[in-house]
Structures are given as C-alpha cells and as structure tokens.
Amino acid sequence: MDRSEWWQGELADDVYRVLREKELSLPRFCARSPKLHLRRHFVDLLATSEQLQLGVATHHLAIAMLDVFMDRHDITVLCLYTCSICYLIIAAKFEEMDEQVPRLDWVNRLEVMTKQGLSLSKEELQQTEFLLLCTLDWNLCTPTAAHFVDYFLWLSRHEDAPAGGSSYRHAYTIKYTAHFLQLALQGARRAVEERFVGTGLAALR
C-alpha cells in the first residue's frame, strides 16, 4: 500500500492524529494581501494540476502554500504566476510519485505559461523554489481538507449499515464531497478557519 492510501492501513488513526496536531499549528491566514482580490483567479489557475494529472491533495497543498506566501509578500501579478506554478511543482514533489512530478518542459508548454509569455529555466526554477521554501521555513507538512477527506470517507463507508443502498449512498457521498472540496477553495480561508479550525473535515461525518 502506498502512502496515498494511508487511511486503509493499521497506522491510520496515528497518521490522522499527527495531521490534526499539525493542523492546529498552521500559520493563521490573515487575508491581508493587497492582491487578495486575485486569489480566486490563481486558485483556478492551479487547476492546471488536472492537466498534469496531479492529485487533489497536490492541488490543495499548492493553494495552501500560495495563501501563506500572498499573506506575507506583496509582489507583482506576473511574479505571482511564476510563484503559483512553482508551488504546484513543489507540492507535486511532496505529494506525488517521482514519475508524476511535472517536468520543466511540460510546465513551460502549459497554456497559463505561454499566455503570459513566461518560460522558466532550470536555474530560475531552482532559485524560485529555494525562495518559496524559505518562506515556509522548509515545512511542507501542511494538512488541508484534501488530506483528511479519504480518511473520513473510508470511515463512513465502513460505519454504514449493511442494509441495501449503502453503496449507492457512499457513491453520492464521494461525488458531493469532491464537489464541496473544490468549492471550498474558492472562498476566503478565514471564514473556514474560524468555523472549523482544528476539526479537519469532522463536519462531513
């Protein structure tokens, strides 16, 4: 079993507890970026993860890291494009198998890059990654809703009554959970944190 299916393993409860503890120590999102009005645009931009066949957790992690960066720095919009893509690559290196990590030539051919006239060299990518990682104090363990959801879905499936229709209910639970995961990315994180801080996705149970 690979780490992407940790919720099915014997250590699932321990992994969940560590994620919860880490969640409580995450930097507070203050929504103070002068570019906050552009956040939704960059959330949509990072949906590029689907084109690159990256997982949902990678997408959410990239956005969480970008939120922290935007909260702390005021940079040009063009630089935000570069930072967004670099955070997506960093998130992929942390979450994905090696063969799934986007290659630089793939990234440079993305529509979001060509439309903005952007192209990263290997040296530019490395320098940008270094600066972005410094902003995070080199700490990439940032639990997001996407890191908890499969654990709760697994529990809900096995806590379902064995009566007929449980598979049908579970399929709809998966479908709408995925929908609300994406929807939650669009709103400001502050309201979410104030309501659910320290709970993971407990409200979905």
Side-chain angles (χ1 to χ4, degrees):
M1 180 184 302
D2 63 52
R3 68 174 184 171
S4 66
E5 298 178 341
W6 62 266
W7 56 89
Q8 298 183 38
E10 296 179 357
L11 299 178
D13 290 341
D14 292 329
V15 173
Y16 169 71
R17 186 181 66 254
V18 171
L19 288 175
R20 288 272 278 104
E21 291 171 355
K22 181 64 181 174
E23 183 189 31
L24 290 170
S25 67
L26 292 178
R28 180 148 181 85
F29 180 68
C30 299
R32 60 192 172 199
S33 170
K35 303 291 192 306
L36 190 63
H37 62 288
L38 295 175
R39 181 184 181 276
R40 181 165 183 169
H41 171 73
F42 284 99
V43 168
D44 291 339
L45 179 151
L46 285 172
T48 295
S49 58
E50 296 177 1
Q51 299 175 36
L52 295 171
Q53 298 183 332
L54 302 176
V56 175
T58 301
H59 184 197
H60 280 245
L61 177 58
I63 292 169
M65 292 190 294
L66 182 63
D67 277 340
V68 173
F69 181 80
M70 290 180 66
D71 231 18
R72 297 177 180 179
H73 302 278
D74 182 15
I75 61 175
T76 67
V77 175
L78 197 60
C79 286
L80 272 177
Y81 278 96
T82 301
C83 291
S84 298
I85 293 299
C86 286
Y87 268 134
L88 186 61
I89 295 173
I90 291 171
K93 289 179 178 179
F94 187 73
E95 292 288 341
E96 307 285 346
M97 303 294 287
D98 288 345
E99 57 270 20
Q100 287 298 115
V101 176
R103 296 202 322 249
L104 186 55
D105 57 325
W106 300 351
V107 170
N108 283 330
R109 287 199 298 267
L110 290 172
E111 183 179 0
V112 64
M113 297 291 281
T114 56
K115 271 191 172 182
Q116 298 299 323
L118 296 173
S119 180
L120 287 170
S121 67
K122 182 178 179 180
E123 292 73 22
E124 289 170 333
L125 175 62
Q126 290 174 340
Q127 290 172 4
T128 305
E129 284 182 328
F130 177 78
L131 291 173
L132 297 182
L133 287 167
C134 287
T135 300
L136 300 170
D137 297 324
W138 294 82
N139 184 4
L140 299 184
C141 185
T142 303
T144 69
H147 291 90
F148 289 98
V149 68
D150 286 306
Y151 175 77
F152 287 121
L153 285 172
W154 176 259
L155 287 182
S156 70
R157 181 178 183 179
H158 287 77
E159 289 173 1
D160 256 348
S166 62
S167 296
Y168 177 83
R169 289 195 304 272
H170 189 66
Y172 267 83
T173 301
I174 293 174
K175 175 183 176 180
Y176 286 107
T177 297
H179 170 71
F180 285 115
L181 266 181
Q182 289 304 104
L183 194 63
L185 289 175
Q186 298 293 346
R189 281 178 54 198
R190 175 184 285 180
V192 176
E193 286 187 348
E194 287 176 352
R195 186 172 179 188
F196 297 118
V197 65
T199 66
L201 284 182
L204 294 180
R205 291 189 63 182

